[in-house]
Amino acid sequence: MSRILIIGAGLSGMASALMLHEAGHTVTIISRGLGGMLLANGTIDILGWHAKNPTESPIRDLTSGFAKFLAANPAHPYTQIGLKNTLAGAAWLTQKLNFFDSQTPSDLSTNHLVPTAVGAVRPTAALPNAMRASALTDGDKLLVVGLKRIKDFPANLIADNLSRSPFVSVQARAFEADLPVRDGKETDASSTTHARTLDQSLSSIEVRTLIALLQKEVRPGEKILLPAILGIKPETFADFATQLGVPVGEIPLPPPSIPGRRINDALTQMCRDARIDIQLNSVATGFQNFGKRVTAVEVQRAGRKTNVKVDFVIDGAGGFESGNLTRDSHLRIRESVFNLPLYTPKAPEPDFAAENIFRTGVLVNAKMNPIDADGKLQYENLYCVGSILGGALAWEEKSGEGISLGSAYTAAQAIISSALAKNPGTAAESSANAANKEDN
């Protein structure tokens, strides 16, 4: 049985752990803390824009858009991951989560357009059920509903900007309602507080009053767009939509993100059900190696350090935002665990001085093994996934989930193939046992 250690409990870390578990492997996750999904929109972004030119239209067809994008950005991680693996990784997630429609890779090849919390239009490949009605098409009539106690959702601005959008022709109007939370004691309540209120009871007087008010206000043919507060539990949104009786969709808010938390909570529960050990407050601080193989990872836990022996390691610890990439007073950027060589591609016409820095990360081969600028392999059993990869500006390209899931899928497949090659009998038996569990 292979000893697989995954560093990082974000989307790429937990996804790769579950993929490897499905193949019959035993996996442990260590992480400094919670992953970045609580900051995410809760959609699956694969590739949204070719460039930062505000007049350029968003990418709608990912097949042709991918090819054009990589021709202009050959240093991007997608060059090694590829569209096929990216779509396979995204499809794996949407099929596992019951609050997404089960989708094949071909279903994910066309982007939807959804509104943001300021009324801009954003392209994304896959939407949770709570945002299905938020997808914009020409001719839509929208009722954008603001809630008095949520300050980060300017309904009038959103409606006005959507009506002026150059990318979709819709009619939008604004309406303000109220949902008194915690007995009305809070005048400035967070999205989490609202979501927990809805989780606790959809039959409360406050919620029933809100539903009745919306039913009275909505006009024939309109869709209702609300801030993304309709329950931390996915089933809360489904029950709310059923009671409302008209199409309703959520618009993501600034973090903490309720849609992002739904994905985080679901993957965490899936890991627990699979008995995947997630060790928080555990920081990888160093490693041991024999030639091109990592043999152990040094882990700091609660005042003590231990060496964890490994057969394979997946580094999904993130970039600057998690402290995995650091920059010292001499302007040197380094990777904190394996001291991997870093790559800083030249940004095409950067619009701010730090853009090259934010593109800095690890360069990998087609298996997600780290390499240097000359293509020299660093460690054959180490795989890098997610935002540690260099060459991308995920927030600008709308590529974050695609990079995370595509690299996780690619690394998991590489480990499965490597384990099978080294010990065909045991690996084949483990895969058969995993298949039998699924069948049962």
Side-chain angles (χ1 to χ4, degrees), residues 59-384:
I59 294 171
R60 298 304 298 270
D61 178 69
L62 281 173
T63 303
S64 60
F66 227 74
K68 179 181 176 182
F69 179 81
L70 291 185
N73 299 273
H76 197 276
Y78 276 152
T79 300
Q80 298 294 354
I81 299 170
L83 180 59
K84 181 179 178 180
N85 284 352
T86 301
L87 294 178
W92 175 88
L93 183 73
T94 57
Q95 291 164 9
K96 292 296 176 183
L97 301 181
N98 59 11
F99 50 93
F100 279 81
D101 289 334
S102 179
Q103 299 185 47
T104 64
S106 61
D107 296 328
L108 293 163
S109 60
T110 302
N111 276 332
H112 308 277
L113 298 181
V114 293
T116 72
V118 293
V121 171
R122 181 174 67 85
T124 189
L127 296 168
N129 296 338
M131 297 184 203
R132 194 186 309 160
S134 303
L136 303 172
T137 58
D138 288 342
D140 278 348
K141 297 179 180 179
L142 310 171
L143 175 62
V144 182
V145 178
L147 297 177
K148 290 180 180 179
R149 295 163 205 268
I150 293 182
K151 309 304 182 185
D152 293 327
F153 193 82
N156 283 296
L157 175 67
I158 294 170
D160 186 56
N161 283 342
L162 286 175
S163 297
R164 298 168 181 263
S165 174
F167 304 124
V168 65
S169 178
V170 299
Q171 299 178 34
R173 64 186 184 96
F175 176 70
E176 187 174 66
D178 190 19
L179 177 59
V181 294
R182 295 182 180 175
D183 299 323
K185 296 176 182 178
E186 294 191 22
T187 59
D188 186 2
S190 69
S191 57
T192 302
T193 300
H194 280 80
R196 285 175 175 160
T197 297
L198 289 165
D199 280 337
Q200 289 167 2
S201 176
L202 287 177
S203 60
S204 67
I205 294 176
E206 292 81 5
V207 176
R208 285 191 282 114
T209 300
L210 174 63
I211 290 174
L213 183 62
L214 296 180
Q215 289 172 331
K216 181 179 179 181
E217 178 64 27
V218 68
R219 299 170 185 170
E222 282 186 328
K223 297 191 296 185
I224 293 178
L225 299 184
L226 281 162
I229 51 89
L230 299 179
I232 295 173
K233 301 174 183 177
E235 55 268 26
T236 299
F237 169 81
D239 292 342
F240 184 91
T242 299
Q243 290 190 35
L244 187 60
V246 298
V248 58
E250 291 183 321
I251 297 178
L253 293 170
S257 165
I258 298 302
R261 178 169 177 176
R262 290 174 193 148
I263 296 177
N264 181 81
D265 290 358
L267 290 179
T268 301
Q269 188 60 52
M270 288 168 64
C271 286
R272 289 173 179 164
D273 293 342
R275 297 184 181 275
I276 294 172
D277 189 12
I278 303 178
Q279 302 175 8
L280 299 182
N281 299 315
S282 300
V283 182
T285 57
F287 73 106
Q288 297 173 2
N289 66 293
F290 182 78
K292 294 291 186 181
R293 291 192 65 83
V294 175
T295 57
V297 175
E298 184 183 82
V299 181
Q300 175 80 47
R301 301 185 185 92
R304 63 188 178 94
K305 288 185 179 181
T306 57
N307 287 321
V308 179
K309 294 182 178 180
V310 297
D311 295 309
F312 300 97
V313 182
I314 291 181
D315 187 353
F320 290 102
E321 70 285 350
S322 66
N324 191 35
L325 298 183
T326 61
R327 186 168 181 255
D328 63 22
S329 58
H330 299 284
L331 309 184
R332 293 183 298 235
I333 301 173
R334 65 180 295 269
E335 185 271 327
S336 62
V337 181
F338 303 99
N339 198 28
L340 297 172
L342 297 178
Y343 173 68
T344 304
K346 182 68 175 177
E349 301 179 3
D351 61 354
F352 58 96
E355 186 165 332
N356 282 336
I357 296 174
F358 290 132
R359 291 179 187 267
T360 297
V362 176
L363 200 62
V364 292
N365 62 18
K367 293 182 179 181
M368 300 297 107
N369 300 123
I371 60 176
D372 64 15
D374 296 323
K376 183 180 178 182
L377 178 68
Q378 301 300 294
Y379 300 103
E380 62 185 25
N381 64 334
L382 173 62
Y383 303 82
C384 296

